[in-house]
Amino acid sequence: MTVRDLLKTASRGITINGMRTFLTMLGIIIGVASVVLMVSIGKTFQNYIITQIESVGANMMEVAPAGLEKFGGNLQSLTFEDYRQIAQLPEVQNVTPVIIVAKPVQHGKDQTNPLVFGAYNYIFDNYGLKLDHGRLLEQADEDGAKNNVVIGHQTAVDFFGDSDPVGQKINVGGVSFLVVGELQKQSSALLASLDSPVFMPFSTAKALTGQTSYLTYIALKTRPGEAQVAKDDITTILRQQHHITNPTNDPDKDDFVIQSAEQVTAIIGTVTLGLTLFLALVAGISLLVGGIGIMNIMLVSVTERTREIGLRKAVGAKKRDILLQFLFEAVFLTLAGGLIGIAVGMFFGWLLTAIAAKFLGQLTFILSMQAIVLAVGMAAAIGLVFGIYPARRASNLSPMEALRYE
């Protein structure tokens, strides 16, 4: 029997009972759709998070006292001299010392508690913050320790509603400040925390807090491709400055912590990849269940078509022809279900991404080709594995016994 004849016979066997064929494929459809959906959604959100981090500053780096991460650690380990030494590194593009002013912010009777940063104007570029209107802090503000501030969009809304905040005054720790600029609203919910801070000149923050010796942290931006070099050099400088002997590079011996956007991106990439693989594995279980369903239906089909099998053998069909016929039917069911599952997974992936974009901002669905190849490959393999037993059972039927079957 030719391949063409086998395919025609197999397709006729499949289409005899359309509803049962569809229900048989349903398990494969759900399994493949789940794999495609889970992996693609995982990649979509991984790309979204990494893109948002890089939009803040792909080369951004922060140097903080170890006490910010370690309970009981020293919070007064970074000095202005540390900042001076770091600023001289050739791989550092710009750098600013930062003091966080832990004081309430008021306007009239309204009070909020946003983070108040005292820093040089490099901080806006380091964090990718853009001006909406007014102006950013300037060198003249720093030199004169002026009581001028730039506020985030959310703080502007909290205090002034729809009114223009520029030219208005707010109170920080009992001291009046003039709002000279408002920052653009972040386009992503992930970065919404950057909508509330208040920024004042570093010199003003020192005078307001009385903090003249130590820094809260140092924010810097490295030149492209030199983040690791900068990290190594900063580590060497700070160990020398702080008289730390640490030949084994044990982080617990350092009184400072260096964090970069590259590190955060790598960690998030690893976490999301692990989560995506876990979800794909869970979704893959439904493929296995679908394969078992196909085997059961094929066994029922063999029983129902026993007389047909006997008749075909009686007129000359070989054992191999019967085996291939039922095997083709099983593989066709899984591949057809796989293709439908891909379409279903793509549709729901696009739909869920569109819904999430309403809350998170710009979000683009990324279809994972690896997931498609994996899902189709698994579907074909399941068709072969779970179709072999029913096909062998059909091919081993005796023609005489099959013809006598009622």
Side-chain angles (χ1 to χ4, degrees), residues 50-61 125-129 191 220-221 260-262 265:
I50 291 175
T51 300
Q52 295 303 313
I53 292 173
E54 291 178 346
S55 70
V56 172
N59 303 316
M60 185 268 292
M61 188 176 292
D125 181 49
N126 286 356
Y127 289 118
L129 300 172
L191 303 177
L220 61 101
K221 186 175 184 179
S260 66
E262 287 185 356
T265 300

Side-chain angles (χ1 to χ4, degrees), residues 241-263:
Q241 288 286 113
H242 300 179
H243 307 291
I244 297 173
T245 302
N246 191 0
T248 59
N249 287 321
D250 182 0
D252 289 332
K253 293 183 178 181
D254 293 330
D255 61 358
F256 59 89
V257 176
I258 303 175
Q259 293 182 329
S260 66
E262 287 185 356
Q263 285 178 297

Side-chain angles (χ1 to χ4, degrees), residues 258-307:
I258 303 175
Q259 293 182 329
S260 66
E262 287 185 356
Q263 285 178 297
V264 176
T265 300
I267 292 172
I268 289 176
T270 302
V271 172
T272 53
L273 176 61
L275 182 60
T276 300
L277 291 177
F278 172 74
L279 293 174
L281 179 62
V282 173
I285 294 175
S286 60
L287 269 176
L288 182 63
V289 174
I292 295 173
I294 284 180
M295 183 174 68
N296 289 335
I297 295 299
M298 292 302 296
L299 287 172
V300 171
S301 179
V302 169
T303 302
E304 289 181 345
R305 295 158 64 186
T306 298
R307 287 182 61 82

Side-chain angles (χ1 to χ4, degrees), residues 312-332:
R312 290 192 59 212
K313 279 195 166 186
V315 297
K318 297 178 181 179
K319 179 178 179 180
R320 180 179 64 89
D321 297 332
I322 303 298
L323 176 69
L324 290 177
Q325 174 191 339
F326 281 88
L327 200 57
F328 281 177
E329 289 183 21
V331 173
F332 176 82

Side-chain angles (χ1 to χ4, degrees), residues 213-225:
S213 301
Y214 299 101
L215 307 175
T216 305
Y217 71 96
I218 298 171
L220 61 101
K221 186 175 184 179
T222 67
R223 300 190 187 282

Side-chain angles (χ1 to χ4, degrees), residues 61 89-92 220 222-237 258 260 262:
M61 188 176 292
L89 292 174
E91 61 268 24
V92 173
L220 61 101
T222 67
R223 300 190 187 282
E226 298 191 16
Q228 187 58 49
V229 176
K231 182 179 179 181
D232 293 341
D233 287 349
I234 291 170
T235 300
T236 301
I237 287 174
I258 303 175
S260 66
E262 287 185 356

